[in-house]
Amino acid sequence: MATITLRKALQTKKTLVGDIAKLKSTIEKFNSQETPNKHIKLAEIHTVYIAKIDELIALKTAITKANVEIYGAIVAADETKGLIAMYEGLNTSDSTLKRGLEGQYSTIPLTVYFDYSMVEDKVADLKGKLQGLLDKIDYFNSNTTITIG
């Protein structure tokens, strides 16, 4: 059994996911060949692949149990990121639209509700809120330990 910080567990999870993807790719690539590559030991690779998946399951389970306490902040951070993306994607300029009806074109004026300054203010406020949430999550991850195994 190992005891590590949640921050380290999250880093380890990212590494494990990469390792698993690489092993899976190797298995898929070399599983069916006309002339098997004698240097690729698929039985051994498969054993390591399954062991890494088991390790990932244990790690994800421990992370999930630890995150219960901070889960509200995690969800709020995710949704705040979504709001920022929505506001940053808005057209904030009044403009015109040319619409064609039966060969005739007419110009239609378009007026925005959220103008540039409104969007900038909202985004700035949300980024401040997001930073506070991320700081809270980072503090939690750095100061919370979990036991794996």
Side-chain angles (χ1 to χ4, degrees), residues 50-109:
I50 297 300
K52 294 250 184 208
I53 289 174
D54 290 343
E55 186 179 346
L56 182 62
I57 291 168
L59 187 60
K60 283 178 144 184
T61 300
I63 290 169
T64 299
K65 288 177 181 177
N67 276 339
V68 168
E69 187 177 329
I70 195 79
Y71 193 70
I74 293 169
V75 171
D78 285 344
E79 295 305 322
T80 302
K81 288 175 188 177
L83 279 171
I84 291 169
M86 187 275 298
Y87 285 121
E88 289 181 335
L90 288 177
N91 175 7
T92 57
S93 300
D94 290 335
S95 58
T96 58
L97 172 69
K98 291 187 178 185
R99 181 178 292 160
L101 299 171
E102 299 177 17
Q104 303 276 334
Y105 286 94
S106 59
T107 302
I108 301 165

Side-chain angles (χ1 to χ4, degrees), residues 21-40:
K22 186 176 177 184
L23 291 164
K24 178 183 176 196
S25 175
T26 302
I27 292 167
E28 290 171 343
K29 182 177 179 181
F30 294 103
N31 186 55
S32 178
Q33 300 179 65
E34 186 176 336
T35 306
N37 185 330
K38 64 181 180 181
H39 302 290
I40 304 294

Side-chain angles (χ1 to χ4, degrees), residues 5-8 136-145:
T5 65
L6 195 49
R7 172 188 293 277
K8 180 65 177 170
K136 181 179 180 179
I137 294 165
D138 188 49
Y139 180 83
F140 183 83
N141 289 346
S142 297
N143 292 288
T144 302
T145 57

